[in-house]
Amino acid sequence: MNEKEIFDKVVKILEPYVRNQDALKSIKNETNIVTDLQVNSSRLVDIILAMEDEFDIEIADEEADSVESVGAAVSLIKSKQ
Amino acid sequence: MGILTPNGYGLSEFEDALRNSISGIRFIEKLKELNFACHVGGIPVNFKERAKEYFTNEALLAMNEAMIYAGIASIDAWKDAGYEIPGENSEVNWDTGAIIGAGLGGMDTIGELVVPKVTAGKVRRMGSTIVEQTMASSVSAKVGGLLALGNQLSSNSSACNTGTEAIIDAYYRIKHGYAKQMLAGGVEGSSEFTWGGFDAMKVLNSTSNDAPEKASRPMSASSGGFIPGSGGGVMFLESLESAQKRGARIYAEIIGGSLNCGGQRMGGSMTAPNPTSVQRCIQSTVKMANIQPTEIDYINGHLTGTMADPKEVNNWSKALGLSGSQLPYINSTKSLIGHCLGAAGSIEAIGTVIQMTKGFMHKSINCEDLHEEIKPFESKVVRETINKEINIAAKASFGFGDVNGCMIFKKWKN
């Protein structure tokens, strides 16, 4: 799976949790999940679970902590494939 | 007031359903599949679709059925009281709180997520939304955030007395000056995990699976247990001073409310009420209201469709000192919607106020064959919907634990 495909799937996973719909329209690798998209930080747990299911990978807690931006999520997923 | 019940969503639909004896009891396939004895129940129609009109997808990810009912009923009550829904960055409303309870609460979350995942050793897979959906205060906690409430925010629980207790507690809080406005009521979901325990107790009527609308039979000689219901009802209570100052529309005044317990003595038990405590509860409410029993025009009974109904009617009679045809008119809203457990008291209190405001008493259906011990009161059992002015109405609820609640409403006249 190339980076673009992973990116699109990550956006799809994030969508239901996003409270700032404007930020979603201009979403890019640098977009911060909590501060820009205004995802409730407690929901990061659910987003990580959804990524594990979607890409059939396992993400350790310390790895999950590094997922602050959309790009960080994409890189982490890519590194596990 | 805000409401959603098995036979109506919103005040006007519910009024129409009460007036026209529209039953909300339906056949529920899942109960049959799961080998329940009772295959019928009451669930607000299309509540999941309705929820999307009120809440974002993000919010709904962490809201179970009872929380959805609490949210919808509270938002509708809030708007009915003349307020807009505050924005996410609005100021906190320090003078307004909420007491919204549930009998069993988030049993759907517990049954569908917590137990299967934890048992399978997959705790991590539960995600982040479990606690906020299973904590006993889940049904009030969400409302506090939706409406920026800054006063007391809590959930009470007293089994089938929950909705009534919430209203009485909120009434006390305002009366004592600790809050100006309170949302108050009860909610209950329709999970098979909630209803299963009652089915196992054999307290649900399982003899009318092929005729759902006939299944809920309060005061009937052929009643064979109650029918489970679900939904939510929330009242917006406000001090008279505050309501008049802002020119709010006032439906009714609460002039008395009492709560007690029978100590599970003198005939009372975990599941049956001590008759003396029921009578004391009614009497202390009448005393607080500073009225004569003969001034009560109408009683909205607890009347579930079990063998407790004749005892209840006789308790009302003894407590008020009014026998036979002296008893105020009495009906059972549960005949139309089943027993909504923790939501019952507040849904029926709203039904009481609707009847009071609109000047009618709804038909108590399915009691053509009145129970022998209720026959002395036959002329006061409302068996056809009648147009009748109600100035003073009493509503009571009784719950497992031998707990009782009674409140008296007075019609508001400008």
Side-chain angles (χ1 to χ4, degrees):
Chain A
M1 207 177 297
N2 67 37
E3 231 166 89
K4 173 75 172 74
E5 287 168 330
I6 296 173
F7 180 89
D8 289 345
K9 285 193 172 182
V10 167
V11 173
K12 204 137 195 75
I13 287 168
L14 289 169
E15 263 173 7
Y17 300 94
V18 172
R19 291 191 289 181
N20 181 353
Q21 295 299 320
D22 287 339
L24 187 62
K25 283 174 200 152
S26 56
I27 193 164
K28 49 185 186 288
N29 273 329
E30 293 72 32
T31 303
N32 186 290
I33 296 171
V34 173
T35 55
D36 295 329
L37 298 176
Q38 288 174 21
V39 168
N40 177 339
S41 60
S42 65
R43 303 294 180 237
L44 290 173
V45 168
D46 307 288
I47 289 165
I48 295 294
L49 289 177
M51 288 175 182
E52 288 185 335
D53 290 344
E54 178 63 38
F55 299 100
D56 195 20
I57 54 174
E58 278 187 27
I59 300 174
D61 288 350
E62 43 286 4
E63 290 172 325
D65 290 343
S66 71
V67 179
E68 290 182 356
S69 66
V70 178
V74 173
S75 311
L76 179 66
I77 292 161
K78 194 158 188 294
S79 72
K80 286 181 175 284
Q81 288 190 324
Chain B
M1 304 189 290
I3 195 159
L4 65 170
T5 80
N7 70 348
Y9 159 76
L11 299 176
S12 67
E13 251 187 61
F14 186 49
E15 178 192 339
D16 184 60
L18 293 180
R19 208 185 268 278
N20 298 302
S21 312
I22 299 169
S23 170
I25 305 304
R26 294 173 195 87
F27 173 72
I28 297 171
E29 184 73 43
K30 194 168 198 181
L31 299 181
K32 188 180 177 187
E33 283 169 13
L34 293 172
N35 301 320
F36 275 58
C38 172
H39 301 166
V40 301
I43 304 174
V45 178
N46 287 337
F47 76 88
K48 283 182 185 161
E49 286 305 307
R50 194 83 70 185
K52 292 177 191 163
E53 297 163 20
Y54 287 78
F55 311 109
T56 61
N57 288 335
E58 196 261 345
L60 285 170
L61 289 169
M63 290 176 78
N64 58 32
E65 188 182 348
M67 292 170 75
I68 288 171
Y69 293 154
I72 291 178
S74 297
I75 286 173
D76 283 355
W78 186 260
K79 288 180 175 168
D80 193 44
Y83 288 111
E84 302 279 324
I85 304 304
E88 283 208 357
N89 298 313
S90 71
E91 285 179 18
V92 174
N93 189 338
W94 303 111
D95 292 322
T96 306
I99 302 176
I100 300 168
L104 289 98
M107 287 293 282
D108 43 354
T109 309
I110 293 169
E112 291 161 22
L113 286 168
V114 179
V115 174
K117 297 280 188 208
V118 174
T119 308
K122 293 179 177 171
V123 174
R124 182 175 172 271
R125 300 293 309 175
M126 287 195 292
S128 74
T129 67
I130 299 298
V131 176
E132 62 197 88
Q133 295 186 88
T134 57
M135 58 189 191
S137 59
S138 60
V139 294
S140 58
K142 187 72 196 174
V143 172
L146 290 169
L147 302 174
L149 305 180
N151 208 279
Q152 178 187 355
L153 180 72
S154 64
S155 290
N156 65 310
S157 192
S158 55
C160 303
N161 184 42
T162 300
T164 294
E165 181 182 67
I167 295 168
I168 294 170
D169 274 344
Y171 159 65
Y172 289 165
R173 188 161 180 86
I174 293 171
K175 199 174 162 70
H176 293 146
Y178 298 125
K180 281 185 185 161
Q181 301 170 321
M182 291 292 288
L183 288 158
V187 296
E188 203 73 78
S190 63
S191 167
E192 61 272 22
F193 299 108
T194 299
W195 291 353
F198 295 101
D199 198 76
M201 283 181 86
K202 303 192 187 302
V203 293
L204 305 185
N205 181 11
S206 59
T207 63
S208 191
N209 290 338
D210 54 349
E213 297 185 359
K214 301 264 177 211
S216 185
R217 313 186 61 76
M219 296 189 280
S220 153
S222 56
S223 70
F226 74 82
I227 295 301
S230 56
V234 171
M235 279 188 164
F236 189 98
L237 308 183
E238 182 166 10
S239 70
L240 187 56
E241 188 193 357
S242 167
Q244 287 181 321
K245 200 170 159 189
R246 71 182 182 94
R249 178 198 40 209
I250 302 170
Y251 288 113
E253 206 178 344
I254 300 177
I255 57 172
S258 285
L259 298 163
N260 77 352
C261 174
Q264 297 171 32
R265 302 288 192 280
M266 302 166 72
S269 68
M270 176 57 81
T271 55
N274 168 346
T276 305
S277 73
V278 169
Q279 291 165 33
R280 286 176 65 103
C281 185
I282 294 167
Q283 284 166 344
S284 67
T285 313
V286 171
K287 194 175 171 194
M288 184 192 277
N290 198 23
I291 56 164
Q292 295 301 313
T294 49
E295 291 179 73
I296 298 172
D297 301 303
Y298 164 69
I299 295 166
N300 187 295
H302 183 62
L303 300 170
T304 61
T306 66
M307 295 315 287
D309 294 352
K311 290 177 189 147
E312 177 184 337
V313 176
N314 277 286
N315 279 331
W316 280 107
S317 171
K318 282 184 192 149
L320 299 175
L322 300 171
S323 57
S325 61
Q326 293 175 317
L327 193 77
Y329 284 98
I330 186 166
N331 63 9
S332 168
T333 303
K334 291 185 185 75
S335 66
L336 295 165
I337 59 174
H339 188 350
C340 299
L341 306 171
S346 60
I347 287 176
E348 293 157 16
I350 291 171
T352 300
V353 171
I354 289 173
Q355 291 174 93
M356 176 175 262
T357 313
K358 298 299 174 81
F360 73 101
M361 297 175 193
H362 78 77
K363 175 181 178 178
S364 207
I365 68 167
N366 299 328
C367 62
E368 304 79 11
D369 56 337
L370 212 55
H371 191 281
E372 200 60 35
E373 291 168 41
I374 301 177
K375 279 191 176 158
F377 309 96
E378 185 162 9
S379 65
K380 290 304 177 72
V381 175
V382 186
R383 294 201 285 180
E384 286 301 330
T385 296
I386 47 173
N387 288 319
K388 196 111 190 148
E389 191 175 2
I390 302 172
N391 282 311
I392 293 181
K395 166 73 205 144
S397 296
F398 314 114
F400 279 10
D402 199 5
V403 294
N404 312 303
C406 181
M407 50 198 167
I408 295 181
F409 296 95
K410 186 177 180 187
K411 187 174 179 176
W412 178 254
K413 291 169 186 165
N414 277 312

